[in-house]
Each structure stands twice: as C-alpha cells, then as structure tokens.
Amino acid sequence: QEVEKTMLRRLIYYGMVDFYDGLVFLAMARKTNDIKWALKAGKALSKLESFAQNGKANCEHKLLLLQAEMKSFLGENDDAFGKYESAIAVAGENGFIHEQAIANERTGDFFRKKR
C-alpha cells in the first residue's frame, strides 16, 4: 500500500516539478549569468520532453513555455516568440488557464525586455 501511495503522488505531480524548476532555473540564469543555472534548466527541459511524450495534453504547453524561455535566454527571439504563442494557445485549448496566465506573463516580460 505504501508503494501505491508513493506512485500515486508521482502521477499527481506529472511534470509539474520539472516545469517550475525550469522556470526558476532560467530566471536565476538571467539574473546571475551563471551557466550552472542554464544547465539545470536544460536538464529540467529534457525531463519535461519525456513527460510530454506520454502525456501530451498535460505537458505540451509546459514544454513549449520552457522552450520559449530557453530560446529567449539564448537570444533566439524569433523562435522564442513562436514558442510563447504556441504555449499560450495549447494551454488554453487543454484547459490549463492558470498556466496559460503564466505563459502570458512570461510573454509580456519577453517583450518588455526587448524594448
């Protein structure tokens, strides 16, 4: 029974920890210019890619937003903008309005920094 409870908890957090870790790691990478944070974000992105393969409706928008943030961090602004747009749309289509709001906020910050 204990194993079942542990496995159930993991399913509940399916990709969420890596998503939020990735956002935090990229924010730290921007703030400190320390490559260790970008490397940690890359690992979180890789983990989220595997989650998205198994649970596309639950994780695709998270993956797209992390990809957008990484592209923005790397200065690939055209690619970043496309990923931001996709993250917003997919989150809305799949009913993740709270994460759609995060994607909108991150997109706004992306444009603010471009000025």
Side-chain angles (χ1 to χ4, degrees), residues 41-69:
K43 287 180 184 177
L45 187 58
S46 294
K47 288 180 186 177
L48 202 53
E49 285 171 349
S50 67
F51 282 124
Q53 289 175 356
N54 297 318
K56 189 174 181 179
N58 291 326
C59 294
E60 183 181 20
H61 64 284
K62 293 175 179 78
L63 177 61
L64 288 165
L65 182 55
L66 270 188
Q67 289 172 336
E69 290 284 286

Side-chain angles (χ1 to χ4, degrees), residues 1-52:
Q1 287 180 346
E2 193 62 37
V3 172
E4 288 177 13
K5 287 179 185 178
T6 302
M7 293 306 290
L8 181 59
R9 261 187 258 133
R10 286 187 185 152
L11 291 176
I12 291 171
Y13 300 115
Y14 190 72
M16 287 183 63
V17 172
D18 296 308
F19 171 61
Y20 289 110
D21 279 353
L23 290 176
V24 170
F25 294 153
L26 283 166
M28 290 301 297
R30 281 189 190 93
K31 186 174 183 172
T32 65
N33 289 320
D34 190 338
I35 193 69
K36 78 176 179 186
W37 295 110
L39 294 173
K40 288 182 179 212
K43 287 180 184 177
L45 187 58
S46 294
K47 288 180 186 177
L48 202 53
E49 285 171 349
S50 67
F51 282 124

Side-chain angles (χ1 to χ4, degrees), residues 74-95:
L74 297 173
E76 300 172 14
N77 293 332
D78 291 338
D79 291 337
F81 177 64
K83 296 284 186 181
Y84 281 120
E85 281 187 315
S86 296
I88 292 166
V90 172
E93 290 166 10
N94 291 324

